[in-house]
Amino acid sequence: GEDVEQSLFLSVREGDSSVINCTYTDSSSTYLYWYKQEPGAGLQLLTYIFSNMDMKQDQRLTVLLNKKDKHLSLRIADTQTGDSAIYFCAVLQGGGNKLTFGTGTQLKVEL
Amino acid sequence: DAGVIQSPRHEVTEMGQEVTLRCKPISGHNSLFWYRQTMMRGLELLIYFNNNVPIDDSGMPEDRFSAKMPNASFSTLKIQPSEPRDSAVYFCASSSSYGYTFGSGTRLTVV
């Protein structure tokens, strides 16, 4: 089955850019997602990218997809303390509607 | 739209008791998912339904766990009997074409 991997922790200073990385194994993946989870809350959909795109920008968020290397990244520009959360990469397997989630990356924003 | 609604938000129960978690998906979403989140194992898919029919229950840990979806607007996840190792946050999600929408979760503590 699909395997989705992320690094566990990232620490950045307020105002810097954050880059959260994700790798996956299933080349037939169709949609790829980024979710944000704040403490005590559910997962909130941040953005998604279709597999035939290589970049998507949405305000401070930029998603890059390297389909050849099966690598997805989320860049947050001008990171703020309110961006501190766990960020999950998720991949939709081709032909189905089952999402496979990564382990999540805990982003800590320091002043 | 009220989003995906889960109840209760918190549940504390004694080992051996029956626990029932409830979920109301977003109207018009035809897929519903139950996830469990723990520190050790991250997000695990337990079961999912398409059009009220269980499609994949391979993630259900044991026979003590059961899930039903009697109609398009309601689902339950039951644990009977509960054990301390079932303590986790249980999320329900429903999906449209653009990804999953998660509920706020039920934090279950079995003592």
Side-chain angles (χ1 to χ4, degrees):
Chain A
E2 176 83 79
D3 193 20
V4 181
E5 304 226 343
Q6 301 176 240
S7 53
L8 291 180
F9 299 103
L10 177 65
S11 180
V12 299
R13 282 202 283 195
E14 189 177 40
D16 287 351
S17 292
S18 308
V19 179
I20 302 170
N21 294 301
C22 170
T23 58
Y24 60 98
T25 55
D26 186 352
S27 57
S28 70
S29 302
T30 53
Y31 283 91
L32 302 101
Y33 302 85
W34 285 103
Y35 283 84
K36 176 184 180 183
Q37 185 180 31
E38 297 187 31
L43 277 73
Q44 172 197 356
L45 178 63
L46 280 180
T47 187
Y48 65 93
I49 190 168
F50 190 53
S51 58
N52 68 353
M53 299 167 65
D54 51 21
M55 187 184 92
K56 181 178 180 181
Q57 186 149 5
D58 184 0
Q59 299 181 357
R60 291 191 298 122
L61 305 179
T62 303
V63 179
L64 295 177
L65 174 61
N66 181 328
K67 199 173 177 184
K68 173 176 167 290
D69 294 338
K70 301 190 194 70
H71 181 269
L72 182 74
S73 67
L74 174 69
R75 179 177 179 268
I76 305 172
D78 187 24
T79 312
Q80 302 298 306
T81 54
D83 295 324
S84 293
I86 301 175
Y87 291 80
F88 289 91
C89 167
V91 179
L92 186 67
Q93 293 171 246
N97 64 351
K98 180 177 168 180
L99 271 185
T100 301
F101 284 85
T103 51
T105 298
Q106 173 119 37
L107 174 64
K108 183 178 177 184
V109 182
E110 297 174 327
L111 295 173
Chain B
D1 189 349
V4 176
I5 300 172
Q6 291 188 246
S7 64
R9 285 298 310 271
H10 302 275
E11 176 85 32
V12 180
T13 191
E14 289 186 346
M15 183 173 68
Q17 296 297 305
E18 176 182 302
V19 174
T20 300
L21 313 180
R22 296 173 176 79
C23 175
K24 177 177 166 49
I26 291 175
S27 177
H29 284 192
N30 60 1
S31 296
L32 182 141
F33 305 80
W34 282 101
Y35 281 86
R36 177 171 69 176
Q37 186 178 36
T38 60
M39 289 290 291
M40 293 297 293
R41 293 187 298 269
L43 265 173
E44 301 173 277
L45 176 64
L46 300 178
I47 185 171
Y48 80 93
F49 297 83
N50 272 357
N51 298 314
N52 313 340
V53 176
I55 301 301
D56 183 352
D57 65 355
S58 59
M60 295 285 261
E62 300 169 35
D63 291 346
R64 299 183 296 108
F65 286 68
S66 62
K68 292 183 180 178
M69 192 164 185
N71 57 62
S73 59
F74 184 66
S75 177
T76 60
L77 177 69
K78 186 181 290 187
I79 309 172
Q80 179 186 22
S82 57
E83 297 183 3
R85 61 194 167 118
D86 302 329
S87 297
V89 181
Y90 290 81
F91 287 105
C92 175
S94 65
S95 76
S96 67
S97 303
Y98 300 107
Y100 293 12
T101 301
F102 279 79
S104 299
T106 295
R107 182 172 294 275
L108 173 65
T109 304
V110 183
V111 298

PDB file of all heavy atoms in Angstrom, chain A residues 55-82:
ATOM      1  N   MET A  55       3.025  23.045  -9.277  1.00  0.00           N
ATOM      2  CA  MET A  55       3.060  24.099  -8.278  1.00  0.00           C
ATOM      3  C   MET A  55       1.665  24.690  -8.103  1.00  0.00           C
ATOM      4  O   MET A  55       0.889  24.791  -9.058  1.00  0.00           O
ATOM      5  CB  MET A  55       4.021  25.218  -8.687  1.00  0.00           C
ATOM      6  CG  MET A  55       4.230  26.262  -7.603  1.00  0.00           C
ATOM      7  SD  MET A  55       5.265  27.641  -8.106  1.00  0.00           S
ATOM      8  CE  MET A  55       4.058  28.772  -8.698  1.00  0.00           C
ATOM      9  N   LYS A  56       1.401  25.089  -6.868  1.00  0.00           N
ATOM     10  CA  LYS A  56       0.159  25.801  -6.589  1.00  0.00           C
ATOM     11  C   LYS A  56       0.446  26.817  -5.507  1.00  0.00           C
ATOM     12  O   LYS A  56       1.075  26.484  -4.499  1.00  0.00           O
ATOM     13  CB  LYS A  56      -0.929  24.833  -6.142  1.00  0.00           C
ATOM     14  CG  LYS A  56      -2.261  25.503  -5.860  1.00  0.00           C
ATOM     15  CD  LYS A  56      -3.309  24.486  -5.462  1.00  0.00           C
ATOM     16  CE  LYS A  56      -4.645  25.162  -5.182  1.00  0.00           C
ATOM     17  NZ  LYS A  56      -5.682  24.185  -4.776  1.00  0.00           N
ATOM     18  N   GLN A  57      -0.018  28.052  -5.733  1.00  0.00           N
ATOM     19  CA  GLN A  57       0.211  29.093  -4.729  1.00  0.00           C
ATOM     20  C   GLN A  57      -1.130  29.605  -4.222  1.00  0.00           C
ATOM     21  O   GLN A  57      -2.068  29.811  -4.996  1.00  0.00           O
ATOM     22  CB  GLN A  57       1.002  30.248  -5.333  1.00  0.00           C
ATOM     23  CG  GLN A  57       1.404  31.296  -4.326  1.00  0.00           C
ATOM     24  CD  GLN A  57       2.720  31.969  -4.672  1.00  0.00           C
ATOM     25  OE1 GLN A  57       3.302  31.716  -5.727  1.00  0.00           O
ATOM     26  NE2 GLN A  57       3.180  32.818  -3.793  1.00  0.00           N
ATOM     27  N   ASP A  58      -1.194  29.799  -2.915  1.00  0.00           N
ATOM     28  CA  ASP A  58      -2.416  30.294  -2.290  1.00  0.00           C
ATOM     29  C   ASP A  58      -1.998  31.191  -1.144  1.00  0.00           C
ATOM     30  O   ASP A  58      -1.681  30.714  -0.067  1.00  0.00           O
ATOM     31  CB  ASP A  58      -3.266  29.116  -1.797  1.00  0.00           C
ATOM     32  CG  ASP A  58      -4.599  29.562  -1.224  1.00  0.00           C
ATOM     33  OD1 ASP A  58      -4.876  30.777  -1.210  1.00  0.00           O
ATOM     34  OD2 ASP A  58      -5.369  28.685  -0.789  1.00  0.00           O
ATOM     35  N   GLN A  59      -1.955  32.489  -1.402  1.00  0.00           N
ATOM     36  CA  GLN A  59      -1.527  33.487  -0.422  1.00  0.00           C
ATOM     37  C   GLN A  59      -0.145  33.142   0.111  1.00  0.00           C
ATOM     38  O   GLN A  59       0.822  33.103  -0.662  1.00  0.00           O
ATOM     39  CB  GLN A  59      -2.583  33.621   0.688  1.00  0.00           C
ATOM     40  CG  GLN A  59      -3.932  34.075   0.140  1.00  0.00           C
ATOM     41  CD  GLN A  59      -5.001  34.238   1.215  1.00  0.00           C
ATOM     42  OE1 GLN A  59      -4.801  33.974   2.397  1.00  0.00           O
ATOM     43  NE2 GLN A  59      -6.164  34.692   0.806  1.00  0.00           N
ATOM     44  N   ARG A  60       0.000  32.858   1.391  1.00  0.00           N
ATOM     45  CA  ARG A  60       1.352  32.586   1.924  1.00  0.00           C
ATOM     46  C   ARG A  60       1.811  31.152   1.691  1.00  0.00           C
ATOM     47  O   ARG A  60       2.941  30.810   2.002  1.00  0.00           O
ATOM     48  CB  ARG A  60       1.371  32.878   3.433  1.00  0.00           C
ATOM     49  CG  ARG A  60       1.233  34.352   3.783  1.00  0.00           C
ATOM     50  CD  ARG A  60       1.536  34.605   5.273  1.00  0.00           C
ATOM     51  NE  ARG A  60       0.610  33.915   6.162  1.00  0.00           N
ATOM     52  CZ  ARG A  60       0.983  33.043   7.096  1.00  0.00           C
ATOM     53  NH1 ARG A  60       2.259  32.716   7.241  1.00  0.00           N
ATOM     54  NH2 ARG A  60       0.076  32.480   7.872  1.00  0.00           N
ATOM     55  N   LEU A  61       0.926  30.325   1.145  1.00  0.00           N
ATOM     56  CA  LEU A  61       1.244  28.916   0.972  1.00  0.00           C
ATOM     57  C   LEU A  61       1.644  28.618  -0.472  1.00  0.00           C
ATOM     58  O   LEU A  61       0.967  29.047  -1.405  1.00  0.00           O
ATOM     59  CB  LEU A  61       0.026  28.054   1.325  1.00  0.00           C
ATOM     60  CG  LEU A  61      -0.581  28.243   2.703  1.00  0.00           C
ATOM     61  CD1 LEU A  61      -1.789  27.331   2.876  1.00  0.00           C
ATOM     62  CD2 LEU A  61       0.438  27.977   3.789  1.00  0.00           C
ATOM     63  N   THR A  62       2.728  27.858  -0.624  1.00  0.00           N
ATOM     64  CA  THR A  62       3.148  27.377  -1.953  1.00  0.00           C
ATOM     65  C   THR A  62       3.363  25.878  -1.847  1.00  0.00           C
ATOM     66  O   THR A  62       4.101  25.417  -0.973  1.00  0.00           O
ATOM     67  CB  THR A  62       4.444  28.056  -2.428  1.00  0.00           C
ATOM     68  OG1 THR A  62       4.264  29.467  -2.441  1.00  0.00           O
ATOM     69  CG2 THR A  62       4.811  27.569  -3.827  1.00  0.00           C
ATOM     70  N   VAL A  63       2.698  25.142  -2.716  1.00  0.00           N
ATOM     71  CA  VAL A  63       2.872  23.693  -2.770  1.00  0.00           C
ATOM     72  C   VAL A  63       3.680  23.364  -4.014  1.00  0.00           C
ATOM     73  O   VAL A  63       3.379  23.845  -5.103  1.00  0.00           O
ATOM     74  CB  VAL A  63       1.516  22.970  -2.829  1.00  0.00           C
ATOM     75  CG1 VAL A  63       1.727  21.472  -2.908  1.00  0.00           C
ATOM     76  CG2 VAL A  63       0.667  23.325  -1.619  1.00  0.00           C
ATOM     77  N   LEU A  64       4.711  22.555  -3.825  1.00  0.00           N
ATOM     78  CA  LEU A  64       5.518  22.086  -4.952  1.00  0.00           C
ATOM     79  C   LEU A  64       5.419  20.570  -5.038  1.00  0.00           C
ATOM     80  O   LEU A  64       5.510  19.891  -4.004  1.00  0.00           O
ATOM     81  CB  LEU A  64       6.984  22.490  -4.773  1.00  0.00           C
ATOM     82  CG  LEU A  64       7.294  23.976  -4.801  1.00  0.00           C
ATOM     83  CD1 LEU A  64       8.781  24.206  -4.534  1.00  0.00           C
ATOM     84  CD2 LEU A  64       6.899  24.589  -6.138  1.00  0.00           C
ATOM     85  N   LEU A  65       5.225  20.069  -6.231  1.00  0.00           N
ATOM     86  CA  LEU A  65       5.132  18.627  -6.444  1.00  0.00           C
ATOM     87  C   LEU A  65       6.159  18.194  -7.469  1.00  0.00           C
ATOM     88  O   LEU A  65       6.179  18.701  -8.592  1.00  0.00           O
ATOM     89  CB  LEU A  65       3.726  18.246  -6.921  1.00  0.00           C
ATOM     90  CG  LEU A  65       3.520  16.784  -7.317  1.00  0.00           C
ATOM     91  CD1 LEU A  65       3.773  15.853  -6.128  1.00  0.00           C
ATOM     92  CD2 LEU A  65       2.116  16.560  -7.874  1.00  0.00           C
ATOM     93  N   ASN A  66       7.013  17.269  -7.065  1.00  0.00           N
ATOM     94  CA  ASN A  66       7.958  16.633  -7.984  1.00  0.00           C
ATOM     95  C   ASN A  66       7.486  15.199  -8.152  1.00  0.00           C
ATOM     96  O   ASN A  66       7.750  14.338  -7.301  1.00  0.00           O
ATOM     97  CB  ASN A  66       9.371  16.687  -7.403  1.00  0.00           C
ATOM     98  CG  ASN A  66      10.396  16.065  -8.329  1.00  0.00           C
ATOM     99  OD1 ASN A  66      10.105  15.116  -9.074  1.00  0.00           O
ATOM    100  ND2 ASN A  66      11.594  16.598  -8.314  1.00  0.00           N
ATOM    101  N   LYS A  67       6.744  14.977  -9.226  1.00  0.00           N
ATOM    102  CA  LYS A  67       6.114  13.677  -9.390  1.00  0.00           C
ATOM    103  C   LYS A  67       7.143  12.590  -9.675  1.00  0.00           C
ATOM    104  O   LYS A  67       6.974  11.435  -9.270  1.00  0.00           O
ATOM    105  CB  LYS A  67       5.082  13.753 -10.520  1.00  0.00           C
ATOM    106  CG  LYS A  67       4.065  12.650 -10.480  1.00  0.00           C
ATOM    107  CD  LYS A  67       2.977  12.864 -11.497  1.00  0.00           C
ATOM    108  CE  LYS A  67       2.014  11.689 -11.473  1.00  0.00           C
ATOM    109  NZ  LYS A  67       0.975  11.794 -12.502  1.00  0.00           N
ATOM    110  N   LYS A  68       8.225  12.959 -10.344  1.00  0.00           N
ATOM    111  CA  LYS A  68       9.270  11.980 -10.676  1.00  0.00           C
ATOM    112  C   LYS A  68       9.893  11.425  -9.400  1.00  0.00           C
ATOM    113  O   LYS A  68      10.093  10.215  -9.274  1.00  0.00           O
ATOM    114  CB  LYS A  68      10.321  12.633 -11.556  1.00  0.00           C
ATOM    115  CG  LYS A  68      11.549  11.797 -11.859  1.00  0.00           C
ATOM    116  CD  LYS A  68      12.469  12.535 -12.821  1.00  0.00           C
ATOM    117  CE  LYS A  68      13.841  11.884 -12.888  1.00  0.00           C
ATOM    118  NZ  LYS A  68      14.601  12.091 -11.635  1.00  0.00           N
ATOM    119  N   ASP A  69      10.157  12.331  -8.447  1.00  0.00           N
ATOM    120  CA  ASP A  69      10.779  11.906  -7.192  1.00  0.00           C
ATOM    121  C   ASP A  69       9.742  11.581  -6.122  1.00  0.00           C
ATOM    122  O   ASP A  69      10.122  11.237  -4.996  1.00  0.00           O
ATOM    123  CB  ASP A  69      11.717  13.002  -6.671  1.00  0.00           C
ATOM    124  CG  ASP A  69      12.913  13.222  -7.576  1.00  0.00           C
ATOM    125  OD1 ASP A  69      13.235  12.287  -8.345  1.00  0.00           O
ATOM    126  OD2 ASP A  69      13.506  14.313  -7.534  1.00  0.00           O
ATOM    127  N   LYS A  70       8.462  11.742  -6.437  1.00  0.00           N
ATOM    128  CA  LYS A  70       7.373  11.518  -5.480  1.00  0.00           C
ATOM    129  C   LYS A  70       7.627  12.333  -4.211  1.00  0.00           C
ATOM    130  O   LYS A  70       7.652  11.808  -3.083  1.00  0.00           O
ATOM    131  CB  LYS A  70       7.217  10.037  -5.164  1.00  0.00           C
ATOM    132  CG  LYS A  70       6.936   9.160  -6.373  1.00  0.00           C
ATOM    133  CD  LYS A  70       6.553   7.757  -5.942  1.00  0.00           C
ATOM    134  CE  LYS A  70       6.604   6.788  -7.108  1.00  0.00           C
ATOM    135  NZ  LYS A  70       7.958   6.497  -7.600  1.00  0.00           N
ATOM    136  N   HIS A  71       7.811  13.617  -4.419  1.00  0.00           N
ATOM    137  CA  HIS A  71       8.142  14.532  -3.330  1.00  0.00           C
ATOM    138  C   HIS A  71       7.198  15.723  -3.382  1.00  0.00           C
ATOM    139  O   HIS A  71       7.007  16.345  -4.430  1.00  0.00           O
ATOM    140  CB  HIS A  71       9.599  14.978  -3.471  1.00  0.00           C
ATOM    141  CG  HIS A  71      10.047  15.895  -2.378  1.00  0.00           C
ATOM    142  ND1 HIS A  71       9.950  17.269  -2.480  1.00  0.00           N
ATOM    143  CD2 HIS A  71      10.560  15.637  -1.151  1.00  0.00           C
ATOM    144  CE1 HIS A  71      10.409  17.819  -1.369  1.00  0.00           C
ATOM    145  NE2 HIS A  71      10.784  16.847  -0.553  1.00  0.00           N
ATOM    146  N   LEU A  72       6.644  16.023  -2.233  1.00  0.00           N
ATOM    147  CA  LEU A  72       5.696  17.126  -2.081  1.00  0.00           C
ATOM    148  C   LEU A  72       6.216  18.046  -0.990  1.00  0.00           C
ATOM    149  O   LEU A  72       6.762  17.560   0.014  1.00  0.00           O
ATOM    150  CB  LEU A  72       4.335  16.573  -1.683  1.00  0.00           C
ATOM    151  CG  LEU A  72       3.174  17.544  -1.507  1.00  0.00           C
ATOM    152  CD1 LEU A  72       2.680  18.039  -2.858  1.00  0.00           C
ATOM    153  CD2 LEU A  72       2.025  16.861  -0.762  1.00  0.00           C
ATOM    154  N   SER A  73       6.096  19.348  -1.197  1.00  0.00           N
ATOM    155  CA  SER A  73       6.506  20.263  -0.129  1.00  0.00           C
ATOM    156  C   SER A  73       5.476  21.368   0.041  1.00  0.00           C
ATOM    157  O   SER A  73       4.737  21.705  -0.877  1.00  0.00           O
ATOM    158  CB  SER A  73       7.890  20.858  -0.405  1.00  0.00           C
ATOM    159  OG  SER A  73       7.843  21.718  -1.530  1.00  0.00           O
ATOM    160  N   LEU A  74       5.469  21.892   1.253  1.00  0.00           N
ATOM    161  CA  LEU A  74       4.603  23.031   1.591  1.00  0.00           C
ATOM    162  C   LEU A  74       5.497  24.137   2.116  1.00  0.00           C
ATOM    163  O   LEU A  74       6.227  23.940   3.090  1.00  0.00           O
ATOM    164  CB  LEU A  74       3.581  22.636   2.659  1.00  0.00           C
ATOM    165  CG  LEU A  74       2.715  23.771   3.209  1.00  0.00           C
ATOM    166  CD1 LEU A  74       1.741  24.269   2.146  1.00  0.00           C
ATOM    167  CD2 LEU A  74       1.952  23.330   4.459  1.00  0.00           C
ATOM    168  N   ARG A  75       5.462  25.259   1.457  1.00  0.00           N
ATOM    169  CA  ARG A  75       6.234  26.421   1.913  1.00  0.00           C
ATOM    170  C   ARG A  75       5.269  27.451   2.489  1.00  0.00           C
ATOM    171  O   ARG A  75       4.267  27.804   1.851  1.00  0.00           O
ATOM    172  CB  ARG A  75       7.029  27.031   0.767  1.00  0.00           C
ATOM    173  CG  ARG A  75       7.851  28.259   1.158  1.00  0.00           C
ATOM    174  CD  ARG A  75       8.668  28.767  -0.030  1.00  0.00           C
ATOM    175  NE  ARG A  75       9.447  29.940   0.315  1.00  0.00           N
ATOM    176  CZ  ARG A  75       9.019  31.200   0.155  1.00  0.00           C
ATOM    177  NH1 ARG A  75       7.824  31.439  -0.354  1.00  0.00           N
ATOM    178  NH2 ARG A  75       9.789  32.220   0.496  1.00  0.00           N
ATOM    179  N   ILE A  76       5.580  27.895   3.702  1.00  0.00           N
ATOM    180  CA  ILE A  76       4.787  28.946   4.339  1.00  0.00           C
ATOM    181  C   ILE A  76       5.666  30.187   4.404  1.00  0.00           C
ATOM    182  O   ILE A  76       6.714  30.175   5.075  1.00  0.00           O
ATOM    183  CB  ILE A  76       4.340  28.547   5.761  1.00  0.00           C
ATOM    184  CG1 ILE A  76       3.598  27.209   5.734  1.00  0.00           C
ATOM    185  CG2 ILE A  76       3.456  29.636   6.360  1.00  0.00           C
ATOM    186  CD1 ILE A  76       3.288  26.655   7.123  1.00  0.00           C
ATOM    187  N   ALA A  77       5.282  31.220   3.701  1.00  0.00           N
ATOM    188  CA  ALA A  77       6.052  32.460   3.711  1.00  0.00           C
ATOM    189  C   ALA A  77       5.697  33.274   4.955  1.00  0.00           C
ATOM    190  O   ALA A  77       4.571  33.199   5.468  1.00  0.00           O
ATOM    191  CB  ALA A  77       5.750  33.259   2.458  1.00  0.00           C
ATOM    192  N   ASP A  78       6.699  34.044   5.452  1.00  0.00           N
ATOM    193  CA  ASP A  78       6.446  34.950   6.581  1.00  0.00           C
ATOM    194  C   ASP A  78       5.726  34.212   7.711  1.00  0.00           C
ATOM    195  O   ASP A  78       4.631  34.582   8.139  1.00  0.00           O
ATOM    196  CB  ASP A  78       5.629  36.154   6.105  1.00  0.00           C
ATOM    197  CG  ASP A  78       5.459  37.223   7.165  1.00  0.00           C
ATOM    198  OD1 ASP A  78       6.306  37.290   8.079  1.00  0.00           O
ATOM    199  OD2 ASP A  78       4.453  37.968   7.103  1.00  0.00           O
ATOM    200  N   THR A  79       6.354  33.154   8.205  1.00  0.00           N
ATOM    201  CA  THR A  79       5.719  32.291   9.203  1.00  0.00           C
ATOM    202  C   THR A  79       5.401  33.076  10.465  1.00  0.00           C
ATOM    203  O   THR A  79       6.229  33.839  10.978  1.00  0.00           O
ATOM    204  CB  THR A  79       6.640  31.110   9.530  1.00  0.00           C
ATOM    205  OG1 THR A  79       7.101  30.532   8.319  1.00  0.00           O
ATOM    206  CG2 THR A  79       5.877  30.049  10.312  1.00  0.00           C
ATOM    207  N   GLN A  80       4.201  32.871  10.984  1.00  0.00           N
ATOM    208  CA  GLN A  80       3.718  33.555  12.184  1.00  0.00           C
ATOM    209  C   GLN A  80       3.527  32.549  13.321  1.00  0.00           C
ATOM    210  O   GLN A  80       3.420  31.345  13.087  1.00  0.00           O
ATOM    211  CB  GLN A  80       2.385  34.242  11.880  1.00  0.00           C
ATOM    212  CG  GLN A  80       2.449  35.250  10.741  1.00  0.00           C
ATOM    213  CD  GLN A  80       3.389  36.395  11.057  1.00  0.00           C
ATOM    214  OE1 GLN A  80       3.252  37.057  12.088  1.00  0.00           O
ATOM    215  NE2 GLN A  80       4.350  36.644  10.170  1.00  0.00           N
ATOM    216  N   THR A  81       3.430  33.045  14.541  1.00  0.00           N
ATOM    217  CA  THR A  81       3.244  32.151  15.687  1.00  0.00           C
ATOM    218  C   THR A  81       1.946  31.360  15.552  1.00  0.00           C
ATOM    219  O   THR A  81       1.860  30.219  16.008  1.00  0.00           O
ATOM    220  CB  THR A  81       3.236  32.937  17.007  1.00  0.00           C
ATOM    221  OG1 THR A  81       2.254  33.979  16.931  1.00  0.00           O
ATOM    222  CG2 THR A  81       4.597  33.555  17.275  1.00  0.00           C
ATOM    223  N   GLY A  82       0.965  31.922  14.886  1.00  0.00           N
ATOM    224  CA  GLY A  82      -0.303  31.208  14.674  1.00  0.00           C
ATOM    225  C   GLY A  82      -0.179  30.044  13.707  1.00  0.00           C
ATOM    226  O   GLY A  82      -1.109  29.241  13.569  1.00  0.00           O
TER     227      GLY A  82
END
